[in-house]
Amino acid sequence: MKIEKKELGDGIVQYTITNGRMSFSAMNYGCSLLQIQVPNKDNKLVDILQGFDTLEGWKAGHDSHNCVVGRFANRIAKASFAVDGKTYKLDVNDGVNCLHGGFTRWEKMLWDSESFEKDGVAGIRFTRTSPDGEQGFPGNVKAEVVYSLSEKNELSLVYTATSDKATPINLTNHAYFNLNGTGSVLDHIIQLDCDQILDVDATLIPTGKFISVDGTAFDFHTAKAVRKDIAQIDEKIGGYDHCFVTRADESKVVRVGAVWSEESGIKMEIASNQRGMQVYSGNFLKDVKGKNGEVYQKHSGICFETQRFPDAPNQASFPSCILKPNETYTATTVLTF
């Protein structure tokens, strides 16, 4: 294993972890993944992440490219929730709802960071304390994000948090994947071990109903191309932007599915302990100036955001998302190439 560290200025540090076959780079600005380099079928390295060539590009980006999302990933209805009888108001930044924590994004913050290597695994540990009231949430939350690479081409993303007050917590990474490195993801093949999706209203807030994927555009039990049934989805959404229900229960990491490209020959297996996985087919990407002069458009990247259920603070029938004092939140996702 090899670890390289590079100072980018303004306290921002980039780390690159290599196992001799593949590598990833990340920086402490937003715990952002900068690159994942994987060999294709011709044994040429392909960067399978969208992103930017300059630090200025990362700072200006507003599509959460490859960064940590918190305190609460996804949407909270009407930007409001109650804990222990007290109502908390959040930023309204997505119609009438709050999305990905509002305007004060964790992705735009500087985290403490250090690299490590142990037992054939090397990685980066990011830490930060989110003060009581940040984004409108209660509690001083101590958060830790760890990205690590094994000799078996396993990229692990582990999030932990503690709080001194009861508070909702839901952390993920908003990586935009393109296994060809460029172009559209519509011909990517997906297979998911997910039997249901969450029904949502017109503002993409869950209704509380669980819908079977059988025979629908969301049925990926049998592998199929992204493009195959995407036209069946509401034109207003423009593609997949739905929470698939996994077979996990937070007590253990289970296989969630896989995505691969016949063009590049690259395959990514996804495993997680999270009950939900938001699959987002880059529906709202438009004229984003990205790496190597490429301009990202609709469906040029796809996200697999493993997480707790959207709007869980307001949905009594959903598994609890409340982190209480003396408890530790842990979310784990493993991507194997």
Side-chain angles (χ1 to χ4, degrees), residues 263-310:
E263 179 181 329
S264 68
I266 295 172
K267 182 178 184 179
M268 182 175 77
E269 294 265 356
I270 307 165
S272 182
N273 73 339
Q274 295 295 283
R275 289 291 309 275
M277 181 172 72
Q278 190 84 5
V279 178
Y280 171 55
S281 55
N283 313 325
F284 304 114
L285 292 174
K286 183 179 180 182
D287 299 332
V288 179
K289 295 181 180 179
K291 294 176 179 177
N292 302 314
E294 184 171 0
V295 179
Y296 303 137
Q297 304 290 2
K298 184 177 181 178
H299 305 323
S300 65
I302 188 165
C303 306
F304 301 93
E305 304 160 57
T306 49
Q307 59 188 253
R308 287 174 161 173
F309 291 157

Side-chain angles (χ1 to χ4, degrees), residues 79-317:
S80 177
F81 67 91
V83 175
D84 295 337
K86 182 177 180 179
T87 298
Y88 295 87
K89 297 292 186 180
L90 309 175
D91 294 337
V92 179
N93 68 327
D94 183 63
V96 297
N97 306 316
C98 180
L99 176 65
H100 294 332
F103 297 118
T104 308
R105 296 287 185 95
W106 278 15
E107 68 192 77
K108 302 298 183 186
M109 296 180 182
L110 199 63
W111 293 59
D112 293 328
S113 61
E114 62 179 1
S115 60
F116 66 89
E117 182 176 1
K118 183 179 180 181
D119 299 331
V121 173
I124 314 146
R125 180 177 292 105
F126 304 99
T127 55
R128 181 179 181 273
T129 297
S130 174
D132 185 19
E134 185 172 76
Q135 299 177 332
F137 290 93
N140 294 292
V141 169
K142 293 182 178 179
E144 179 181 273
V145 178
V146 177
Y147 302 150
S148 63
L149 181 64
S150 77
E151 294 174 344
K152 298 179 180 179
N153 286 2
E154 298 163 326
L155 177 59
S156 297
L157 297 81
V158 180
Y159 315 84
T160 57
T162 58
S163 177
D164 58 3
K165 292 182 182 178
T167 190
I169 196 80
N170 186 23
L171 308 183
T172 192
N173 186 286
H174 206 300
Y176 286 78
F177 295 97
N178 185 315
L179 302 186
N180 299 327
T182 187
S184 169
V185 298
L186 289 176
D187 289 321
H188 281 29
I189 309 296
I190 294 179
Q191 187 279 319
L192 299 178
D193 298 339
C194 298
D195 304 317
Q196 298 172 309
I197 61 167
L198 298 183
D199 183 42
V200 292
D201 64 19
T203 67
L204 298 178
I205 293 294
T207 65
K209 297 178 181 178
F210 293 77
I211 300 177
S212 171
V213 301
D214 291 346
T216 73
F218 305 97
D219 191 345
F220 287 94
H221 285 122
T222 300
K224 66 180 180 182
V226 175
R227 75 164 65 250
K228 186 175 187 298
D229 297 319
I230 200 169
Q232 298 180 29
I233 300 173
D234 190 331
E235 291 182 1
K236 293 180 181 178
I237 302 176
Y240 294 99
D241 193 3
H242 299 77
C243 187
F244 285 72
V245 180
T246 75
R247 297 169 185 171
D249 62 6
E250 296 199 15
S251 67
K252 62 181 179 179
V253 174
V254 303
R255 184 185 188 276
V256 176
V259 56
W260 63 93
S261 166
E262 294 180 348
E263 179 181 329
S264 68
I266 295 172
K267 182 178 184 179
M268 182 175 77
E269 294 265 356
I270 307 165
S272 182
N273 73 339
Q274 295 295 283
R275 289 291 309 275
M277 181 172 72
Q278 190 84 5
V279 178
Y280 171 55
S281 55
N283 313 325
F284 304 114
L285 292 174
K286 183 179 180 182
D287 299 332
V288 179
K289 295 181 180 179
K291 294 176 179 177
N292 302 314
E294 184 171 0
V295 179
Y296 303 137
Q297 304 290 2
K298 184 177 181 178
H299 305 323
S300 65
I302 188 165
C303 306
F304 301 93
E305 304 160 57
T306 49
Q307 59 188 253
R308 287 174 161 173
F309 291 157
D311 197 38
N314 296 312
Q315 306 260 354
S317 65

Side-chain angles (χ1 to χ4, degrees), residues 29-43:
Y29 180 75
C31 306
S32 302
L33 287 165
L34 304 176
Q35 293 183 333
I36 300 177
Q37 297 270 0
V38 183
N40 65 10
K41 60 186 178 183
D42 298 320
N43 208 33

